[in-house]
PDB file of all heavy atoms in Angstrom:
ATOM      1  N   HIS L  14      -3.943   5.312  -1.160  1.00  0.00           N
ATOM      2  CA  HIS L  14      -5.217   5.247  -0.440  1.00  0.00           C
ATOM      3  C   HIS L  14      -6.226   4.435  -1.231  1.00  0.00           C
ATOM      4  O   HIS L  14      -6.129   4.308  -2.459  1.00  0.00           O
ATOM      5  CB  HIS L  14      -5.778   6.654  -0.165  1.00  0.00           C
ATOM      6  CG  HIS L  14      -6.345   7.316  -1.401  1.00  0.00           C
ATOM      7  ND1 HIS L  14      -7.655   7.158  -1.794  1.00  0.00           N
ATOM      8  CD2 HIS L  14      -5.770   8.137  -2.314  1.00  0.00           C
ATOM      9  CE1 HIS L  14      -7.876   7.856  -2.907  1.00  0.00           C
ATOM     10  NE2 HIS L  14      -6.747   8.451  -3.241  1.00  0.00           N
ATOM     11  N   LYS L  15      -7.182   3.895  -0.529  1.00  0.00           N
ATOM     12  CA  LYS L  15      -8.346   3.217  -1.108  1.00  0.00           C
ATOM     13  C   LYS L  15      -9.565   3.829  -0.447  1.00  0.00           C
ATOM     14  O   LYS L  15      -9.788   3.646   0.753  1.00  0.00           O
ATOM     15  CB  LYS L  15      -8.286   1.716  -0.848  1.00  0.00           C
ATOM     16  CG  LYS L  15      -9.498   0.934  -1.373  1.00  0.00           C
ATOM     17  CD  LYS L  15      -9.366  -0.543  -1.034  1.00  0.00           C
ATOM     18  CE  LYS L  15     -10.542  -1.343  -1.561  1.00  0.00           C
ATOM     19  NZ  LYS L  15     -11.827  -0.961  -0.915  1.00  0.00           N
ATOM     20  N   GLY L  16     -10.352   4.566  -1.228  1.00  0.00           N
ATOM     21  CA  GLY L  16     -11.432   5.329  -0.623  1.00  0.00           C
ATOM     22  C   GLY L  16     -10.850   6.349   0.341  1.00  0.00           C
ATOM     23  O   GLY L  16      -9.958   7.117  -0.013  1.00  0.00           O
ATOM     24  N   ARG L  17     -11.282   6.316   1.579  1.00  0.00           N
ATOM     25  CA  ARG L  17     -10.786   7.249   2.597  1.00  0.00           C
ATOM     26  C   ARG L  17      -9.745   6.590   3.514  1.00  0.00           C
ATOM     27  O   ARG L  17      -9.381   7.167   4.543  1.00  0.00           O
ATOM     28  CB  ARG L  17     -11.946   7.785   3.437  1.00  0.00           C
ATOM     29  CG  ARG L  17     -12.952   8.621   2.657  1.00  0.00           C
ATOM     30  CD  ARG L  17     -14.048   9.144   3.567  1.00  0.00           C
ATOM     31  NE  ARG L  17     -13.487   9.997   4.613  1.00  0.00           N
ATOM     32  CZ  ARG L  17     -13.280  11.306   4.467  1.00  0.00           C
ATOM     33  NH1 ARG L  17     -13.569  11.904   3.321  1.00  0.00           N
ATOM     34  NH2 ARG L  17     -12.805  12.024   5.472  1.00  0.00           N
ATOM     35  N   ARG L  18      -9.271   5.393   3.127  1.00  0.00           N
ATOM     36  CA  ARG L  18      -8.379   4.654   4.023  1.00  0.00           C
ATOM     37  C   ARG L  18      -6.991   4.471   3.416  1.00  0.00           C
ATOM     38  O   ARG L  18      -6.823   4.409   2.197  1.00  0.00           O
ATOM     39  CB  ARG L  18      -9.002   3.304   4.370  1.00  0.00           C
ATOM     40  CG  ARG L  18     -10.335   3.427   5.099  1.00  0.00           C
ATOM     41  CD  ARG L  18     -10.933   2.076   5.403  1.00  0.00           C
ATOM     42  NE  ARG L  18     -10.138   1.331   6.375  1.00  0.00           N
ATOM     43  CZ  ARG L  18     -10.464   0.117   6.810  1.00  0.00           C
ATOM     44  NH1 ARG L  18     -11.562  -0.494   6.345  1.00  0.00           N
ATOM     45  NH2 ARG L  18      -9.703  -0.501   7.701  1.00  0.00           N
ATOM     46  N   THR L  19      -6.001   4.362   4.304  1.00  0.00           N
ATOM     47  CA  THR L  19      -4.637   4.087   3.885  1.00  0.00           C
ATOM     48  C   THR L  19      -4.553   2.702   3.256  1.00  0.00           C
ATOM     49  O   THR L  19      -5.276   1.775   3.640  1.00  0.00           O
ATOM     50  CB  THR L  19      -3.681   4.188   5.082  1.00  0.00           C
ATOM     51  OG1 THR L  19      -4.217   3.422   6.176  1.00  0.00           O
ATOM     52  CG2 THR L  19      -3.515   5.632   5.541  1.00  0.00           C
ATOM     53  N   PHE L  20      -3.620   2.558   2.304  1.00  0.00           N
ATOM     54  CA  PHE L  20      -3.631   1.366   1.462  1.00  0.00           C
ATOM     55  C   PHE L  20      -2.202   0.995   1.089  1.00  0.00           C
ATOM     56  O   PHE L  20      -1.385   1.864   0.762  1.00  0.00           O
ATOM     57  CB  PHE L  20      -4.450   1.662   0.201  1.00  0.00           C
ATOM     58  CG  PHE L  20      -4.730   0.493  -0.685  1.00  0.00           C
ATOM     59  CD1 PHE L  20      -5.347  -0.644  -0.203  1.00  0.00           C
ATOM     60  CD2 PHE L  20      -4.404   0.542  -2.039  1.00  0.00           C
ATOM     61  CE1 PHE L  20      -5.629  -1.719  -1.038  1.00  0.00           C
ATOM     62  CE2 PHE L  20      -4.686  -0.520  -2.878  1.00  0.00           C
ATOM     63  CZ  PHE L  20      -5.292  -1.656  -2.383  1.00  0.00           C
ATOM     64  N   VAL L  21      -1.895  -0.311   1.156  1.00  0.00           N
ATOM     65  CA  VAL L  21      -0.579  -0.837   0.795  1.00  0.00           C
ATOM     66  C   VAL L  21      -0.782  -2.036  -0.115  1.00  0.00           C
ATOM     67  O   VAL L  21      -1.633  -2.895   0.153  1.00  0.00           O
ATOM     68  CB  VAL L  21       0.214  -1.290   2.042  1.00  0.00           C
ATOM     69  CG1 VAL L  21       1.600  -1.801   1.638  1.00  0.00           C
ATOM     70  CG2 VAL L  21       0.334  -0.163   3.054  1.00  0.00           C
ATOM     71  N   ILE L  22      -0.022  -2.116  -1.203  1.00  0.00           N
ATOM     72  CA  ILE L  22      -0.078  -3.317  -2.038  1.00  0.00           C
ATOM     73  C   ILE L  22       1.325  -3.903  -2.196  1.00  0.00           C
ATOM     74  O   ILE L  22       2.334  -3.198  -2.087  1.00  0.00           O
ATOM     75  CB  ILE L  22      -0.707  -3.068  -3.427  1.00  0.00           C
ATOM     76  CG1 ILE L  22       0.204  -2.191  -4.282  1.00  0.00           C
ATOM     77  CG2 ILE L  22      -2.086  -2.489  -3.313  1.00  0.00           C
ATOM     78  CD1 ILE L  22      -0.225  -2.202  -5.739  1.00  0.00           C
ATOM     79  N   PHE L  23       1.357  -5.215  -2.451  1.00  0.00           N
ATOM     80  CA  PHE L  23       2.599  -5.944  -2.675  1.00  0.00           C
ATOM     81  C   PHE L  23       2.493  -6.635  -4.029  1.00  0.00           C
ATOM     82  O   PHE L  23       1.552  -7.398  -4.265  1.00  0.00           O
ATOM     83  CB  PHE L  23       2.823  -6.983  -1.573  1.00  0.00           C
ATOM     84  CG  PHE L  23       2.813  -6.407  -0.186  1.00  0.00           C
ATOM     85  CD1 PHE L  23       1.637  -6.391   0.565  1.00  0.00           C
ATOM     86  CD2 PHE L  23       3.963  -5.858   0.360  1.00  0.00           C
ATOM     87  CE1 PHE L  23       1.625  -5.857   1.843  1.00  0.00           C
ATOM     88  CE2 PHE L  23       3.960  -5.313   1.634  1.00  0.00           C
ATOM     89  CZ  PHE L  23       2.787  -5.308   2.382  1.00  0.00           C
ATOM     90  N   TYR L  24       3.455  -6.370  -4.880  1.00  0.00           N
ATOM     91  CA  TYR L  24       3.457  -6.944  -6.229  1.00  0.00           C
ATOM     92  C   TYR L  24       4.705  -7.789  -6.411  1.00  0.00           C
ATOM     93  O   TYR L  24       5.831  -7.332  -6.187  1.00  0.00           O
ATOM     94  CB  TYR L  24       3.432  -5.823  -7.269  1.00  0.00           C
ATOM     95  CG  TYR L  24       3.720  -6.276  -8.678  1.00  0.00           C
ATOM     96  CD1 TYR L  24       2.872  -7.157  -9.347  1.00  0.00           C
ATOM     97  CD2 TYR L  24       4.851  -5.822  -9.356  1.00  0.00           C
ATOM     98  CE1 TYR L  24       3.138  -7.570 -10.642  1.00  0.00           C
ATOM     99  CE2 TYR L  24       5.129  -6.228 -10.655  1.00  0.00           C
ATOM    100  CZ  TYR L  24       4.271  -7.103 -11.287  1.00  0.00           C
ATOM    101  OH  TYR L  24       4.534  -7.517 -12.578  1.00  0.00           O
ATOM    102  N   ARG L  25       4.496  -9.047  -6.792  1.00  0.00           N
ATOM    103  CA  ARG L  25       5.605  -9.962  -7.077  1.00  0.00           C
ATOM    104  C   ARG L  25       5.753 -10.081  -8.594  1.00  0.00           C
ATOM    105  O   ARG L  25       4.869 -10.616  -9.272  1.00  0.00           O
ATOM    106  CB  ARG L  25       5.350 -11.330  -6.440  1.00  0.00           C
ATOM    107  CG  ARG L  25       5.308 -11.275  -4.920  1.00  0.00           C
ATOM    108  CD  ARG L  25       5.195 -12.653  -4.305  1.00  0.00           C
ATOM    109  NE  ARG L  25       5.118 -12.585  -2.858  1.00  0.00           N
ATOM    110  CZ  ARG L  25       6.181 -12.533  -2.050  1.00  0.00           C
ATOM    111  NH1 ARG L  25       7.391 -12.569  -2.582  1.00  0.00           N
ATOM    112  NH2 ARG L  25       6.029 -12.454  -0.749  1.00  0.00           N
ATOM    113  N   ARG L  26       6.877  -9.599  -9.076  1.00  0.00           N
ATOM    114  CA  ARG L  26       7.076  -9.564 -10.522  1.00  0.00           C
ATOM    115  C   ARG L  26       7.159 -10.970 -11.118  1.00  0.00           C
ATOM    116  O   ARG L  26       6.664 -11.204 -12.234  1.00  0.00           O
ATOM    117  CB  ARG L  26       8.349  -8.768 -10.830  1.00  0.00           C
ATOM    118  CG  ARG L  26       8.755  -8.798 -12.289  1.00  0.00           C
ATOM    119  CD  ARG L  26       9.862  -7.809 -12.559  1.00  0.00           C
ATOM    120  NE  ARG L  26       9.328  -6.475 -12.766  1.00  0.00           N
ATOM    121  CZ  ARG L  26      10.070  -5.368 -12.755  1.00  0.00           C
ATOM    122  NH1 ARG L  26      11.361  -5.450 -12.490  1.00  0.00           N
ATOM    123  NH2 ARG L  26       9.518  -4.198 -12.987  1.00  0.00           N
ATOM    124  N   ASP L  27       7.755 -11.924 -10.401  1.00  0.00           N
ATOM    125  CA  ASP L  27       7.925 -13.264 -10.970  1.00  0.00           C
ATOM    126  C   ASP L  27       6.596 -13.957 -11.214  1.00  0.00           C
ATOM    127  O   ASP L  27       6.400 -14.618 -12.233  1.00  0.00           O
ATOM    128  CB  ASP L  27       8.825 -14.117 -10.078  1.00  0.00           C
ATOM    129  CG  ASP L  27       8.334 -14.193  -8.635  1.00  0.00           C
ATOM    130  OD1 ASP L  27       7.373 -13.480  -8.288  1.00  0.00           O
ATOM    131  OD2 ASP L  27       8.923 -14.967  -7.842  1.00  0.00           O
ATOM    132  N   SER L  28       5.648 -13.800 -10.276  1.00  0.00           N
ATOM    133  CA  SER L  28       4.361 -14.483 -10.399  1.00  0.00           C
ATOM    134  C   SER L  28       3.245 -13.575 -10.904  1.00  0.00           C
ATOM    135  O   SER L  28       2.214 -14.057 -11.383  1.00  0.00           O
ATOM    136  CB  SER L  28       3.943 -15.052  -9.044  1.00  0.00           C
ATOM    137  OG  SER L  28       3.714 -14.006  -8.107  1.00  0.00           O
ATOM    138  N   GLY L  29       3.421 -12.272 -10.756  1.00  0.00           N
ATOM    139  CA  GLY L  29       2.361 -11.338 -11.114  1.00  0.00           C
ATOM    140  C   GLY L  29       1.311 -11.168 -10.039  1.00  0.00           C
ATOM    141  O   GLY L  29       0.322 -10.456 -10.232  1.00  0.00           O
ATOM    142  N   ASP L  30       1.501 -11.809  -8.870  1.00  0.00           N
ATOM    143  CA  ASP L  30       0.522 -11.724  -7.786  1.00  0.00           C
ATOM    144  C   ASP L  30       0.497 -10.322  -7.181  1.00  0.00           C
ATOM    145  O   ASP L  30       1.537  -9.672  -7.016  1.00  0.00           O
ATOM    146  CB  ASP L  30       0.856 -12.734  -6.685  1.00  0.00           C
ATOM    147  CG  ASP L  30       0.646 -14.168  -7.136  1.00  0.00           C
ATOM    148  OD1 ASP L  30      -0.077 -14.371  -8.127  1.00  0.00           O
ATOM    149  OD2 ASP L  30       1.215 -15.078  -6.499  1.00  0.00           O
ATOM    150  N   VAL L  31      -0.706  -9.892  -6.815  1.00  0.00           N
ATOM    151  CA  VAL L  31      -0.902  -8.606  -6.144  1.00  0.00           C
ATOM    152  C   VAL L  31      -1.677  -8.853  -4.847  1.00  0.00           C
ATOM    153  O   VAL L  31      -2.799  -9.369  -4.885  1.00  0.00           O
ATOM    154  CB  VAL L  31      -1.672  -7.599  -7.022  1.00  0.00           C
ATOM    155  CG1 VAL L  31      -1.868  -6.287  -6.281  1.00  0.00           C
ATOM    156  CG2 VAL L  31      -0.928  -7.355  -8.334  1.00  0.00           C
ATOM    157  N   LEU L  32      -1.076  -8.527  -3.694  1.00  0.00           N
ATOM    158  CA  LEU L  32      -1.727  -8.628  -2.393  1.00  0.00           C
ATOM    159  C   LEU L  32      -1.852  -7.232  -1.806  1.00  0.00           C
ATOM    160  O   LEU L  32      -1.150  -6.302  -2.218  1.00  0.00           O
ATOM    161  CB  LEU L  32      -0.915  -9.537  -1.464  1.00  0.00           C
ATOM    162  CG  LEU L  32      -0.645 -10.956  -1.976  1.00  0.00           C
ATOM    163  CD1 LEU L  32       0.256 -11.703  -1.006  1.00  0.00           C
ATOM    164  CD2 LEU L  32      -1.965 -11.696  -2.188  1.00  0.00           C
ATOM    165  N   ALA L  33      -2.740  -7.081  -0.800  1.00  0.00           N
ATOM    166  CA  ALA L  33      -2.988  -5.731  -0.282  1.00  0.00           C
ATOM    167  C   ALA L  33      -3.271  -5.739   1.211  1.00  0.00           C
ATOM    168  O   ALA L  33      -3.738  -6.732   1.783  1.00  0.00           O
ATOM    169  CB  ALA L  33      -4.179  -5.107  -1.013  1.00  0.00           C
ATOM    170  N   LEU L  34      -2.977  -4.593   1.835  1.00  0.00           N
ATOM    171  CA  LEU L  34      -3.325  -4.303   3.223  1.00  0.00           C
ATOM    172  C   LEU L  34      -4.146  -3.028   3.271  1.00  0.00           C
ATOM    173  O   LEU L  34      -3.902  -2.081   2.510  1.00  0.00           O
ATOM    174  CB  LEU L  34      -2.070  -4.113   4.079  1.00  0.00           C
ATOM    175  CG  LEU L  34      -1.083  -5.266   4.207  1.00  0.00           C
ATOM    176  CD1 LEU L  34       0.135  -4.814   5.011  1.00  0.00           C
ATOM    177  CD2 LEU L  34      -1.735  -6.470   4.869  1.00  0.00           C
ATOM    178  N   ILE L  35      -5.102  -2.977   4.176  1.00  0.00           N
ATOM    179  CA  ILE L  35      -5.899  -1.771   4.390  1.00  0.00           C
ATOM    180  C   ILE L  35      -5.647  -1.268   5.803  1.00  0.00           C
ATOM    181  O   ILE L  35      -5.503  -2.054   6.743  1.00  0.00           O
ATOM    182  CB  ILE L  35      -7.414  -2.052   4.168  1.00  0.00           C
ATOM    183  CG1 ILE L  35      -8.196  -0.755   4.052  1.00  0.00           C
ATOM    184  CG2 ILE L  35      -7.964  -2.967   5.235  1.00  0.00           C
ATOM    185  CD1 ILE L  35      -8.048  -0.078   2.721  1.00  0.00           C
ATOM    186  N   GLY L  36      -5.568   0.051   5.947  1.00  0.00           N
ATOM    187  CA  GLY L  36      -5.309   0.648   7.244  1.00  0.00           C
ATOM    188  C   GLY L  36      -6.395   1.622   7.644  1.00  0.00           C
ATOM    189  O   GLY L  36      -7.508   1.603   7.099  1.00  0.00           O
ATOM    190  N   PRO L  37      -6.109   2.503   8.588  1.00  0.00           N
ATOM    191  CA  PRO L  37      -7.107   3.452   9.077  1.00  0.00           C
ATOM    192  C   PRO L  37      -7.395   4.536   8.049  1.00  0.00           C
ATOM    193  O   PRO L  37      -6.729   4.631   7.006  1.00  0.00           O
ATOM    194  CB  PRO L  37      -6.435   4.042  10.318  1.00  0.00           C
ATOM    195  CG  PRO L  37      -4.976   3.977  10.001  1.00  0.00           C
ATOM    196  CD  PRO L  37      -4.805   2.690   9.251  1.00  0.00           C
ATOM    197  N   GLU L  38      -8.373   5.376   8.337  1.00  0.00           N
ATOM    198  CA  GLU L  38      -8.669   6.492   7.452  1.00  0.00           C
ATOM    199  C   GLU L  38      -7.447   7.393   7.335  1.00  0.00           C
ATOM    200  O   GLU L  38      -6.793   7.704   8.331  1.00  0.00           O
ATOM    201  CB  GLU L  38      -9.873   7.283   7.966  1.00  0.00           C
ATOM    202  CG  GLU L  38     -11.177   6.538   7.855  1.00  0.00           C
ATOM    203  CD  GLU L  38     -12.379   7.434   8.081  1.00  0.00           C
ATOM    204  OE1 GLU L  38     -12.185   8.638   8.316  1.00  0.00           O
ATOM    205  OE2 GLU L  38     -13.510   6.930   8.008  1.00  0.00           O
ATOM    206  N   GLY L  39      -7.145   7.786   6.109  1.00  0.00           N
ATOM    207  CA  GLY L  39      -5.984   8.630   5.892  1.00  0.00           C
ATOM    208  C   GLY L  39      -5.366   8.378   4.538  1.00  0.00           C
ATOM    209  O   GLY L  39      -6.020   7.879   3.613  1.00  0.00           O
ATOM    210  N   ILE L  40      -4.069   8.682   4.428  1.00  0.00           N
ATOM    211  CA  ILE L  40      -3.368   8.572   3.158  1.00  0.00           C
ATOM    212  C   ILE L  40      -1.894   8.323   3.437  1.00  0.00           C
ATOM    213  O   ILE L  40      -1.350   8.792   4.438  1.00  0.00           O
ATOM    214  CB  ILE L  40      -3.572   9.856   2.319  1.00  0.00           C
ATOM    215  CG1 ILE L  40      -3.086   9.672   0.889  1.00  0.00           C
ATOM    216  CG2 ILE L  40      -2.903  11.060   2.982  1.00  0.00           C
ATOM    217  CD1 ILE L  40      -3.527  10.793  -0.041  1.00  0.00           C
ATOM    218  N   LEU L  41      -1.267   7.536   2.554  1.00  0.00           N
ATOM    219  CA  LEU L  41       0.173   7.302   2.615  1.00  0.00           C
ATOM    220  C   LEU L  41       0.804   7.887   1.355  1.00  0.00           C
ATOM    221  O   LEU L  41       0.357   7.601   0.241  1.00  0.00           O
ATOM    222  CB  LEU L  41       0.489   5.819   2.708  1.00  0.00           C
ATOM    223  CG  LEU L  41       0.101   5.134   4.023  1.00  0.00           C
ATOM    224  CD1 LEU L  41       0.233   3.618   3.896  1.00  0.00           C
ATOM    225  CD2 LEU L  41       0.957   5.650   5.174  1.00  0.00           C
ATOM    226  N   TRP L  42       1.863   8.686   1.547  1.00  0.00           N
ATOM    227  CA  TRP L  42       2.453   9.415   0.424  1.00  0.00           C
ATOM    228  C   TRP L  42       3.768   8.822  -0.056  1.00  0.00           C
ATOM    229  O   TRP L  42       4.126   8.982  -1.221  1.00  0.00           O
ATOM    230  CB  TRP L  42       2.677  10.876   0.797  1.00  0.00           C
ATOM    231  CG  TRP L  42       1.446  11.705   0.827  1.00  0.00           C
ATOM    232  CD1 TRP L  42       0.791  12.190   1.921  1.00  0.00           C
ATOM    233  CD2 TRP L  42       0.687  12.158  -0.307  1.00  0.00           C
ATOM    234  NE1 TRP L  42      -0.317  12.917   1.544  1.00  0.00           N
ATOM    235  CE2 TRP L  42      -0.410  12.907   0.189  1.00  0.00           C
ATOM    236  CE3 TRP L  42       0.817  12.000  -1.686  1.00  0.00           C
ATOM    237  CZ2 TRP L  42      -1.356  13.508  -0.641  1.00  0.00           C
ATOM    238  CZ3 TRP L  42      -0.120  12.592  -2.514  1.00  0.00           C
ATOM    239  CH2 TRP L  42      -1.183  13.334  -1.999  1.00  0.00           C
ATOM    240  N   GLN L  43       4.537   8.218   0.831  1.00  0.00           N
ATOM    241  CA  GLN L  43       5.840   7.711   0.395  1.00  0.00           C
ATOM    242  C   GLN L  43       6.245   6.504   1.234  1.00  0.00           C
ATOM    243  O   GLN L  43       5.864   6.389   2.404  1.00  0.00           O
ATOM    244  CB  GLN L  43       6.920   8.798   0.512  1.00  0.00           C
ATOM    245  CG  GLN L  43       8.255   8.391  -0.110  1.00  0.00           C
ATOM    246  CD  GLN L  43       9.293   9.496  -0.060  1.00  0.00           C
ATOM    247  OE1 GLN L  43       8.981  10.665  -0.126  1.00  0.00           O
ATOM    248  NE2 GLN L  43      10.554   9.111   0.046  1.00  0.00           N
ATOM    249  N   THR L  44       7.017   5.612   0.615  1.00  0.00           N
ATOM    250  CA  THR L  44       7.489   4.425   1.317  1.00  0.00           C
ATOM    251  C   THR L  44       8.894   4.050   0.874  1.00  0.00           C
ATOM    252  O   THR L  44       9.339   4.427  -0.217  1.00  0.00           O
ATOM    253  CB  THR L  44       6.555   3.228   1.074  1.00  0.00           C
ATOM    254  OG1 THR L  44       6.951   2.132   1.912  1.00  0.00           O
ATOM    255  CG2 THR L  44       6.606   2.771  -0.370  1.00  0.00           C
ATOM    256  N   ASP L  45       9.603   3.333   1.757  1.00  0.00           N
ATOM    257  CA  ASP L  45      10.755   2.540   1.364  1.00  0.00           C
ATOM    258  C   ASP L  45      10.483   1.143   1.915  1.00  0.00           C
ATOM    259  O   ASP L  45       9.334   0.793   2.168  1.00  0.00           O
ATOM    260  CB  ASP L  45      12.086   3.149   1.833  1.00  0.00           C
ATOM    261  CG  ASP L  45      12.232   3.177   3.353  1.00  0.00           C
ATOM    262  OD1 ASP L  45      11.345   2.657   4.068  1.00  0.00           O
ATOM    263  OD2 ASP L  45      13.238   3.732   3.829  1.00  0.00           O
ATOM    264  N   CYS L  46      11.485   0.335   2.130  1.00  0.00           N
ATOM    265  CA  CYS L  46      11.232  -1.031   2.581  1.00  0.00           C
ATOM    266  C   CYS L  46      11.023  -1.152   4.081  1.00  0.00           C
ATOM    267  O   CYS L  46      10.680  -2.228   4.578  1.00  0.00           O
ATOM    268  CB  CYS L  46      12.380  -1.933   2.144  1.00  0.00           C
ATOM    269  SG  CYS L  46      12.566  -2.008   0.348  1.00  0.00           S
ATOM    270  N   ALA L  47      11.217  -0.059   4.823  1.00  0.00           N
ATOM    271  CA  ALA L  47      11.069  -0.109   6.280  1.00  0.00           C
ATOM    272  C   ALA L  47       9.992   0.817   6.812  1.00  0.00           C
ATOM    273  O   ALA L  47       9.427   0.573   7.876  1.00  0.00           O
ATOM    274  CB  ALA L  47      12.400   0.226   6.958  1.00  0.00           C
ATOM    275  N   LEU L  48       9.686   1.878   6.085  1.00  0.00           N
ATOM    276  CA  LEU L  48       8.811   2.933   6.602  1.00  0.00           C
ATOM    277  C   LEU L  48       7.892   3.449   5.512  1.00  0.00           C
ATOM    278  O   LEU L  48       8.255   3.460   4.329  1.00  0.00           O
ATOM    279  CB  LEU L  48       9.668   4.086   7.151  1.00  0.00           C
ATOM    280  CG  LEU L  48       8.965   5.342   7.663  1.00  0.00           C
ATOM    281  CD1 LEU L  48       8.133   5.036   8.898  1.00  0.00           C
ATOM    282  CD2 LEU L  48       9.989   6.437   7.961  1.00  0.00           C
ATOM    283  N   ALA L  49       6.692   3.880   5.898  1.00  0.00           N
ATOM    284  CA  ALA L  49       5.806   4.645   5.025  1.00  0.00           C
ATOM    285  C   ALA L  49       5.254   5.802   5.842  1.00  0.00           C
ATOM    286  O   ALA L  49       5.005   5.658   7.052  1.00  0.00           O
ATOM    287  CB  ALA L  49       4.664   3.780   4.488  1.00  0.00           C
ATOM    288  N   VAL L  50       5.083   6.961   5.203  1.00  0.00           N
ATOM    289  CA  VAL L  50       4.618   8.144   5.929  1.00  0.00           C
ATOM    290  C   VAL L  50       3.390   8.722   5.250  1.00  0.00           C
ATOM    291  O   VAL L  50       3.174   8.560   4.054  1.00  0.00           O
ATOM    292  CB  VAL L  50       5.717   9.220   6.025  1.00  0.00           C
ATOM    293  CG1 VAL L  50       6.963   8.667   6.704  1.00  0.00           C
ATOM    294  CG2 VAL L  50       6.064   9.796   4.646  1.00  0.00           C
ATOM    295  N   GLY L  51       2.581   9.420   6.060  1.00  0.00           N
ATOM    296  CA  GLY L  51       1.387  10.060   5.541  1.00  0.00           C
ATOM    297  C   GLY L  51       0.608  10.716   6.654  1.00  0.00           C
ATOM    298  O   GLY L  51       1.177  11.322   7.557  1.00  0.00           O
TER     299      GLY L  51
END
């Protein structure tokens, strides 16, 4: 989460780049490569 909103980040190890997505109010607890739940 970021503040009161759901939050996703993408990290590329080769470049060190960090990108992010913001979603609705809430929280995400677990993810794999196809699904995230919260």
Side-chain angles (χ1 to χ4, degrees):
H14 74 88
K15 178 182 181 295
R17 296 182 61 87
R18 299 179 67 180
T19 49
F20 188 55
V21 182
I22 69 167
F23 304 94
Y24 168 64
R25 296 186 182 274
R26 173 170 277 166
D27 55 353
S28 65
D30 291 341
V31 179
L32 303 176
L34 299 176
I35 194 77
E38 291 193 0
I40 191 168
L41 291 170
W42 285 107
Q43 188 177 328
T44 187
D45 65 4
C46 299
L48 176 66
V50 302

